[in-house]
Structure formats: C-alpha cells, structure tokens
Amino acid sequence: MNIAGWCKNILNSTFLILQDGTKTPGAVLACTDGAVLPISQVFDAIRELGNEGVEQRDPLVLTSATLLSKLPVDSSSVDFVILIWLSVDCPVDQLIQEILRVLKVGGTILIRESSQSDVGSFDKIISDLENKLLLAGFSETQVLQSTGIKAKKPSWKIGSSFALKKVIKSSPKMQIDIDSDLIDEDSLLTEEDLKKPQLPAGDCEIGSTRKACKNCTCGRAEEEEKVLKLGLTAEQINNPQSACGNCGLGDAFRCSTCPYKGLPAFKLGEKVALSGNFLAADI
Amino acid sequence: MHKLLILYATQTGNALDAAERLSRLAERRGCLVFLLSLDQYDPSLLPQEEAVIFVVSTTGQGDTPDSMKVFWRYLLQRNLGQHWLKGVHYAVFGLGDSSYQKYNFVAKKLEKRLLDLGGTAIVERGLGDDQHPSGYEASLDPWMSSLWRMLNMIKPEFLSNGPDVVIEDTVLIDQPKVRITYHSIENVESHFSSASDLTSLNIQIGSARSMHPGKSSSDRSRPDSFLKTVKNLPLTRLNSGKDVRHFEFEFVSNALEYETGDVLEILPGQDSAAVDAFIQRCNLDPDSFITVSPREMDDQNAHHSSIPVKLKTFVQFSMDVDSASPRRYFFEVMRFFATAEHERERLQYFGSPEGRDDLYQYNQRERRTVLEVLDDFPAVQMPFEWLVQLVPPLKTRAFSISSAQSVHPNQVHLTVNVVSWTTPYKRKKKGLCSSWLAALDPRDGIYVPAWFHKGSLPTPSPSLPLILVGPGTGCAPFRGFIEERALQSRTNSTAPVIFFFGCRNEDGDFLYRDFWLSHSQNKGVLSEAKGGGFYVAFSRDQPQKVYVQHKMREHRQRIWNLLAEGAAVYVAGSSTKMPADVTSTFEEIVSKENDVSREDAARWIRALEKCGKYHVEAWS
C-alpha cells in the first residue's frame, strides 16, 4: 500500500488499523490523541529508539486514542509503543495501563509531547508524566531533551515485590531529581530495630515515672491533673514545721514525699503563701 | 595531633547539649576536640578522620534533623563502596523517644551505614530515651564511660590525661564561651537617633540575636517583617477544654510574599516584670550598653563587630528567663558560684550521678524556669558571661499560615492553640508564645517580629486533586489551600478536594465550622457535587472514639478514586500517632480497593511519597 492511499484512508475514518495486531517479532504500536498522524513522525520515533531493522517493521497506528477504553491489541504482544501526544493534559491513567498491558516484558514506551506550550509547562508535564509512568508500574524512566520520555516495562508487574529505586521529587522549580544511585535507607534496619519498643509495664499508672505526652489525647493528662490532693492541713499551712529542716527551703531542697512540694519557700512557723499560679483555675 | 571529631545533629537542642557535654569531658581527658554540627561538615572528608563521634536526634516521624539531611544523603550513595571508611573509628549516640514507633531510627540507620561503609566501631551505639525517668542522660553517662575506656585501649594517644579523670571539685576549670564588652553611651547614640521606631527595633532585635552564642548558622537574626494584630478571636467555646484562637495580622513594615502552606515564625515577647526581676536578681545594670562576642576574639574585633544594645534589650530578645528550663550544666556551673554551704552541697548532689534523677524531677519534669531556679538558690551569684552562655536562648515559634495572600493581600492569618498544663507538683504553667499571642489586642500597638519560610507542605497547583487530613489545628494550612482554590475556581476549573477534619465536640472545638461548610455547599470546592468532600470526626460526641481514620474508611472509594486520578495527599496536625495512623489507613484503603496485599499497598504509598505526592507536617 502506498503512502498516499494510506493517508486517504485515515481521513475517511476515525479509527484506522493498518494491519492485524499479529504477534510479529519487533512489533511496534504507534498511538496518538490526534485525529491524524504523519507516518514520518512514527518512523522518526522508531529511529530514535535506535533499533536497526525497525524500518522493515509495519507499525500499527491508532489515532484518537482518547476515545478508546481498551486498545484492540493482544496483551504482551508489542515491543515498542510510541505515543505522540498533542494535548496539554497528560494521557489518562487508563491508557497508560493499557499500554503497559500490550507491551511485552522488557518492551519500551516512547512518549513524544508535541504540544505548543512553552518550555516551563513542558517540564511540568514531563514531570507529571514520569510520576504517572512510575506509579503505573513502568521502570527505568528517562527524560529525553525537549521531546519526551522513555520507559520500560519491567519484568515484574505492579503488585509483586519490587523496590522502587528511582526517587522523583517534583519540585516547583521544575527540576527532576533522580536519585537512582542512593541505597534504600530502610534496608539498614534489622528485624529487631523495627519492633515496637517495649514500654515499661504499668505505664498507665499515674506515677512519677511515665508522664502524659504534651499533646495527650488519651485523657491521661487530665487524669494527672485530677490527682490534685493537696494533702496539707490548715495547720500545716499556717504553722509549717519541718523535721528534716528542708521543707522551707523550696522545691530544690525538698524530698520527693514532701507535702509542701510545689509551694514556694517559707520560714518555719510563718504562714505559707499559696502563690498565684498554684491551684488557681485561671491565670 | 590526634583529633577527636564530634558531629551532632540537633533539632530542639538536646543533641547539642549532649554533644557539648561529651566535648567537655573529652577535653578534660586531654583530648583535642572539634565540635561541629553536621551541616557544617563536609562529608567527603570523613575517610580522613581518625575518630568520629556522632550525636544524633531522631525527630517525631523517624526523620533526621534538618541539619543532617544533606550529610545523610551523601552517605546513602551506592557508589561509596564498602571500604570508603576503612581505618575510621566511630561511635554513635542517638537521642529519641520510645513512645514513637520509629524509636531512634536515625541513630540505628547511621550506625549500620557507617559499618557497611567499612568503618570500625569503638563501642556499641548508645540510645538515649526521653521516656526514661531521667531522660537521655541515663544512657549517655554509662555509654561515655565505655567510650573512654575503649578509646583509651585502641587509641591511648587520644586521651593524654587517661580515661578516668578526677576533677578537682573545688575549682571550675571550664571557661565561659563569651565575653561581654561594655560601651559608653556617646558611642552608641548615633545608631538609633535617626532611626524610626520600627527600624530601631529591627536593628536591636537583629543585633541581640546575632550576638547570642546560641544562634545557629541558618537563622536570620533580623526579622523579615513586623506585624500588627488586627483580629484575635476564639475559635473554641469557653470551658470546652481547649482554647484555640484565630489571628489576623497585617504587615506594618515591608509586606512580604508568601504562599499557602508556608510557615510563620514568631519571636514572643517576654513579660517585662520577669525580665526586670531577672536583671535585678543577677545584680545587672539594665541600661548599660553591651556587645557579646566569642571569648577568643581579640579586643579590637570585639569592640567593633556588633551594634551595642542595652543589657535589658539583649535579655529581652535573646535570653529565655521565665519559660524554658536550663540544662544540667547550668546547675554544675552554678555550684561554683554558690556562696551558701547548703546550696553548694545541693548543687553538687544534683550534678552527681546519684542526684541526676532528682535533678530531672526538680528541673525538667517541673519545667523550672531560670528565674525560678535562681529564686530557689538565692545565694548564687553567676557572672553575666556564664548567664549568657547557659540561660536557654529565646526561641522563635513556628506556625502554619492559615490564609491565602491572594484572598487577603496585606494579611497573614494564624490558628493557634493556647497551651497550658499542670506540672507533677501541681503548678500551673502556660506556653510562652501562645499565651503572649493570646493576650495581644489590636489596640495595644504591639509589633510582632516575624520570619517567613517554607514548610513541608508545598503549595498545590489548582489542577491537582487533593486529599487533606487535618484534625485540630492541623486544619490551619488547609484553610489557606481551600480559600485559594475557591478563588481560583472562579476563573478556571480546579481539581476536587476532599478534606477530613477531626475535633472533640461539634459544639466545642469545631474550628472554622462555617468556613468549611460554606465551601462544601453550593458547588463549592469541597462539595461532593464538584467531586470533593468534607467529612468530620467528632471524637467525644459519642461513647466510642471516632477519629479521622474512621471517616476515611467510610469514604474509601472516594479516596481511592481520587488517588487513581493522581491526587496528592497532605496530612497535618499536632500528634505523635496521628500521621502514622493515617498512613496506615491509606494503606488499608489502597489494599482493599485494589485487592492487593498490605505490603504492596504500603510500597505504593511509599512510592507516592517519593514522587512528592504525600506530605506530612506534624508538630507537637
């Protein structure tokens, strides 16, 4: 079939599938969200993938790809998928999942972003796209200078065990920071390290050891507050005495069982001043 | 010369204290010590070191302190290989809190990595625990003993005084780190005479804070801006058990640009009476003009390097006299300036291993302030140099901004929880900054010194679908997100937002109730009609506790649908457990909605994090 006749066919229909999606080795699928796709763009992209002999292959071309909910292609049957994307919005996740499905293991996707928007938003689109690819289960993503992005279908599928080696930070400065050369820091921890630390027994007792967290939500802080017994008689306040001699010196010198704990220093025999911040409901 | 390198990573100052103590004790043993924060040290030099001690804190979410992030990334590089640290002797001491799942993760990971890189451990790692009755020092002291013993065995040339040093108890052998220079009034007037009120204030605050020895290299001493209070409104009902306020501030001096999700840092004012009481107690002249410089700096430089400020100004803006508790070293030094026998004995006891627990009870558990301690030891007279070094530095407090500048052009809003509690000895205490803010009145004309910086919550673009989880004051940054998106939606289409809020009682502490409701009705950005949602968990309105996690589970399909559309997740709030519980709930949802195992769902969530779509800002 010559090129002219082929182009005429495209104009006449919304979907055009050139040939069957047969399981030929080195099968290539080209998709676009546009209605038309010059075949030269497809071949350019194939050449960019750098495989010799690719020109001999017959690429399958799908146009208006956004209208499809499923690709009419068998699973794991395609070596290369070329996505020529015109719109500013990212391809939806469903399409990306479908591409992942039809690709063979080790197959490559090449996405060419050809929207007319300026460089700034291009970088952002690429960064979003990269995230989408990673989350869908692609690996080895590679950004191609001002043209698009490439990725591989890994030999595992999403859901089986894998370690994400790539780290992407999509920062507002539009830098894509790929930390593929850092080890996974969580691998430094042993089983023992990961076990929840043992807290001392009897932890919920309101005692002198364990204290309520600053932002206590379990109610312990309020319980501690309630354990308010002053434990001092009027006599002890009006005529304080001290066998050890230290009670009047202030908290720094009192022992842990001192009934005057929390009160200011006083002179023996003189009434103890209950300071303003003690027991007062409001300050 | 054999040099011992001590590297620390501190978030709130604890690791710094521990590192300084380690440094002092090493020096007393005749060791040459270099003490540096990890962000002051070039990691590529590590292989050249003979001996390195790391003192590192783990923050609440198991993360490294900010000052360690770059260093840690360097260490994680795969290409360093397993012989990179061959010949380097190391030891690690970690500070953490065992009530957190990720207890001391930073120290644990660091130690393993150093080992994998070929380093040789001097001693096993030491782990300090905040939950221990006397805090991290309970682990630090015994760990240090083994450290000196082992170091002396493998490298005796390091400790020229030997591993066990008997300190002459009657003499303070350390020297203060700073020196104070007093200036005559004539030389000083010129700085302030022509300056306006605000400029003068800016200079004074900048000078005081830059001179203080506790200043960290990344701090900006001069405030970015001054704010004045426009509104101070309660968001909670009286007697509901919580006091949360809504603040609206206006820029007084230069207005700055900020984005939603940014953080506002505030320098709280100190009670004037407390500052005066401190100055009087320490026999200082409040009106003398001073500059503070490192002790080693010579006279010429000391005299000219900073702008002199009044002593009272210096204390007011850089020394925390009536809120933060001093450290153990404060008590150690105090002992040498105690003129009364019983005070000296008590201080000696507090500084000893036997008295450590009692000191912890008296000081840290009670949140004893410097003023209270000085009042309890009335016969102690400490020179000002030591006071400057040992009184805790006055710290700024950070808050998530709760407004969008596009909606309120010259303003910044905050949502502040006014903190108060009762100590074990039944004394009532208040948070310094939140109480100061709570007392601000628009009519009093008080200027609020403020700094702006980015937090952990990047501003979302309008086309990014959002899942927000923010119980309590965690809702603050999201108020900004939502009012901004509401504005954007008037001109362009915006992506949906689902917001999960939580509080105790619907009629007690339902913060910004009308605001959220107005946006979740009439096709607002939070409305279900627009693909969004607003769901509230009232934890105490029924016998069983209902938290945001429960609400999230109720709406898991919505959550998954939005995640599949590429939504980003933001979690904010004040809690130790909430962020972990929320992450766990997301994992559960992903697992159930996709019929995959929990482990795979967890990996998927971690991938979200690494892609920059899962953000947590948690504060305590």
Side-chain angles (χ1 to χ4, degrees), chain B residues 182-193 287-290 303 307-308 310:
Chain B
Y182 293 86
H183 300 252
S184 64
I185 299 187
E186 303 87 55
N187 301 340
V188 173
E189 285 301 295
S190 53
H191 289 289
F192 300 124
S193 53
D287 296 312
S288 53
F289 281 89
I290 58 166
H303 211 81
I307 299 174
K310 280 195 184 176

Side-chain angles (χ1 to χ4, degrees), chain B residues 271-338:
Chain B
D271 180 25
S272 200
V275 173
D276 289 338
F278 171 81
I279 290 176
Q280 204 175 21
R281 164 71 182 77
C282 299
N283 291 327
L284 302 166
D285 174 11
D287 296 312
S288 53
F289 281 89
I290 58 166
T291 48
V292 178
S293 45
R295 186 170 46 89
E296 307 88 52
M297 203 184 265
D298 60 60
D299 274 322
Q300 278 285 65
N301 280 321
H303 211 81
H304 296 293
S305 59
S306 315
I307 299 174
V309 293
K310 280 195 184 176
L311 189 138
K312 170 161 180 172
T313 305
F314 182 78
V315 173
Q316 186 171 352
F317 291 129
S318 68
M319 295 169 68
D320 188 330
V321 302
D322 202 23
S323 175
S325 293
R327 307 292 183 178
R328 179 165 142 187
Y329 191 46
F330 183 84
F331 291 86
E332 284 180 36
V333 172
M334 244 176 68
R335 170 179 151 213
F336 292 99
F337 297 103

Side-chain angles (χ1 to χ4, degrees), chain A:
Chain A
M1 200 193 243
N2 69 16
I3 302 285
W6 177 82
C7 289
K8 242 209 285 205
N9 273 329
I10 291 176
L11 288 170
N12 288 336
S13 51
T14 26
F15 301 123
L16 185 68
I17 300 179
L18 283 181
Q19 290 183 353
D20 286 332
T22 50
K23 293 187 177 60
T24 47
V28 177
L29 171 67
C31 290
T32 179
D33 53 340
V36 295
L37 175 63
I39 200 73
S40 57
Q41 279 193 21
V42 178
F43 281 130
D44 275 343
I46 294 178
R47 253 176 243 114
E48 194 163 320
L49 286 168
N51 289 280
E52 340 81 42
V54 160
E55 286 85 345
Q56 315 318 358
R57 299 172 189 165
D58 254 324
L60 233 56
V61 179
L62 280 175
T63 59
S64 303
T66 45
L67 297 178
L68 293 170
S69 55
K70 268 180 87 63
L71 294 176
V73 180
D74 292 337
S75 301
S76 301
S77 63
V78 176
D79 291 277
F80 301 102
V81 171
I82 297 159
L83 194 58
I84 309 236
W85 205 251
L86 302 176
S87 140
V88 180
D89 296 314
C90 269
V92 290
D93 289 328
Q94 193 161 20
L95 182 61
I96 293 187
Q97 283 294 346
E98 274 293 290
I99 292 175
L100 188 66
R101 176 183 70 81
V102 308
L103 266 177
K104 289 186 194 161
V105 166
T108 304
I109 178 175
L110 169 65
I111 305 182
R112 279 273 190 83
E113 245 287 354
S114 48
S115 67
Q116 301 306 309
S117 48
D118 56 84
V119 181
S121 57
F122 175 85
D123 282 345
K124 177 159 195 338
I125 292 169
I126 288 297
S127 146
D128 284 345
L129 202 46
E130 192 166 15
N131 287 344
K132 269 189 191 283
L133 287 174
L134 279 178
L135 285 175
F138 282 93
S139 70
E140 290 181 51
T141 57
Q142 199 185 327
V143 174
L144 307 165
Q145 292 291 51
S146 62
T147 50
I149 190 168
K150 199 161 90 165
K152 271 192 154 53
K153 173 171 175 171
S155 54
W156 51 73
K157 57 176 171 42
I158 190 157
S160 58
S161 62
F162 69 97
L164 241 210
K165 292 176 200 159
K166 306 269 177 186
V167 172
I168 308 283
K169 287 198 296 264
S170 53
S171 71
K173 303 290 179 211
M174 287 174 293
Q175 263 178 310
I176 298 175
D177 201 356
I178 301 180
D179 308 331
S180 58
D181 48 341
L182 296 185
I183 63 159
D184 177 16
E185 63 180 274
D186 291 328
S187 66
L188 296 167
L189 297 166
T190 65
E191 275 298 312
E192 194 57 39
D193 291 330
L194 290 171
K195 279 207 217 116
K196 183 128 174 73
Q198 289 293 71
L199 294 171
D203 142 71
C204 292
E205 300 295 308
I206 312 295
S208 60
T209 48
R210 195 110 161 68
K211 60 185 197 281
C213 313
K214 269 198 282 202
N215 37 42
C216 170
T217 49
C218 76
R220 183 190 172 110
E222 282 148 0
E223 284 305 306
E224 281 183 354
E225 211 163 314
K226 285 204 202 110
V227 179
L228 252 198
K229 284 181 302 150
L230 184 44
L232 280 179
T233 63
E235 173 64 21
Q236 279 177 304
I237 295 181
N238 289 322
N239 183 20
Q241 296 300 323
S242 166
C244 65
N246 289 334
C247 307
L249 298 174
D251 274 347
F253 299 88
R254 291 173 182 142
C255 50
S256 52
T257 50
C258 183
Y260 295 100
K261 233 169 37 177
L263 293 174
F266 56 81
K267 294 210 177 61
L268 296 179
E270 282 180 21
K271 180 169 176 164
V272 183
L274 295 175
S275 63
N277 71 346
F278 191 84
L279 294 186
D282 288 316
I283 303 180

Side-chain angles (χ1 to χ4, degrees), chain B residues 491-504:
Chain B
T491 44
N492 291 308
S493 71
T494 54
V497 182
I498 301 184
F499 175 39
F500 291 93
F501 177 67
C503 64
R504 289 183 185 175

Side-chain angles (χ1 to χ4, degrees), chain B residues 259-534:
Chain B
E259 290 185 299
T260 54
D262 283 356
V263 167
L264 184 69
E265 253 181 74
I266 289 191
L267 184 71
Q270 297 194 78
D271 180 25
S272 200
V275 173
D276 289 338
F278 171 81
I279 290 176
Q280 204 175 21
R281 164 71 182 77
C282 299
N283 291 327
L284 302 166
D285 174 11
D287 296 312
S288 53
F289 281 89
I290 58 166
T291 48
V292 178
S293 45
R295 186 170 46 89
E296 307 88 52
M297 203 184 265
D298 60 60
D299 274 322
Q300 278 285 65
N301 280 321
H303 211 81
H304 296 293
S305 59
S306 315
I307 299 174
V309 293
K310 280 195 184 176
L311 189 138
K312 170 161 180 172
T313 305
F314 182 78
V315 173
Q316 186 171 352
F317 291 129
S318 68
M319 295 169 68
D320 188 330
V321 302
D322 202 23
S323 175
S325 293
R327 307 292 183 178
R328 179 165 142 187
Y329 191 46
F330 183 84
F331 291 86
E332 284 180 36
V333 172
M334 244 176 68
R335 170 179 151 213
F336 292 99
F337 297 103
T339 56
E341 182 67 31
H342 72 285
E343 286 184 15
R344 191 168 39 245
E345 271 176 16
R346 190 64 174 170
L347 288 167
Q348 185 170 359
Y349 171 66
F350 274 159
S352 68
E354 304 80 53
R356 184 181 53 220
D357 285 357
D358 280 343
L359 174 62
Y360 193 81
Q361 290 286 336
Y362 164 71
N363 183 41
Q364 280 104 308
R365 296 282 321 275
E366 273 302 296
R367 286 287 283 270
R368 230 30 99 159
T369 71
V370 167
L371 206 46
E372 287 171 347
V373 173
L374 290 174
D375 281 343
D376 277 346
F377 292 89
V380 164
Q381 285 304 335
M382 268 172 78
F384 191 46
E385 285 81 2
W386 278 115
L387 289 168
V388 170
Q389 180 180 336
L390 299 176
V391 169
L394 183 65
K395 292 202 150 80
T396 56
R397 268 71 164 176
F399 300 90
S400 272
I401 297 178
S402 50
S403 55
Q405 205 165 22
S406 49
V407 181
H408 308 277
N410 198 36
Q411 290 191 347
V412 189
H413 298 179
L414 291 187
T415 310
V416 178
N417 184 22
V418 184
V419 177
S420 64
W421 71 95
T422 309
T423 68
Y425 289 6
K426 280 84 86 183
R427 300 180 315 141
K428 294 251 174 223
K429 288 262 168 188
K430 305 185 286 182
L432 175 64
C433 187
S434 59
S435 305
W436 179 72
L437 284 172
L440 286 180
D441 188 305
R443 293 162 298 187
D444 56 28
I446 292 182
Y447 296 131
V448 177
W451 291 258
F452 288 78
H453 62 79
K454 294 270 155 224
S456 337
L457 304 175
T459 309
S461 84
S463 58
L464 181 65
L466 298 174
I467 302 176
L468 310 174
V469 184
T473 47
C475 69
F478 303 147
R479 180 175 177 270
F481 282 8
I482 284 165
E483 67 178 11
E484 182 164 69
R485 189 160 284 201
L487 182 65
Q488 289 161 340
S489 69
R490 291 212 242 139
T491 44
N492 291 308
S493 71
T494 54
V497 182
I498 301 184
F499 175 39
F500 291 93
F501 177 67
C503 64
R504 289 183 185 175
N505 305 104
E506 182 166 5
D507 65 337
D509 59 338
F510 192 169
L511 312 175
Y512 299 117
R513 184 183 97 138
D514 294 333
F515 175 80
W516 312 121
L517 288 179
S518 73
H519 288 290
S520 61
Q521 291 151 357
N522 301 322
K523 305 227 181 114
V525 290
L526 280 178
S527 63
E528 286 189 359
K530 282 289 183 177
F534 171 58

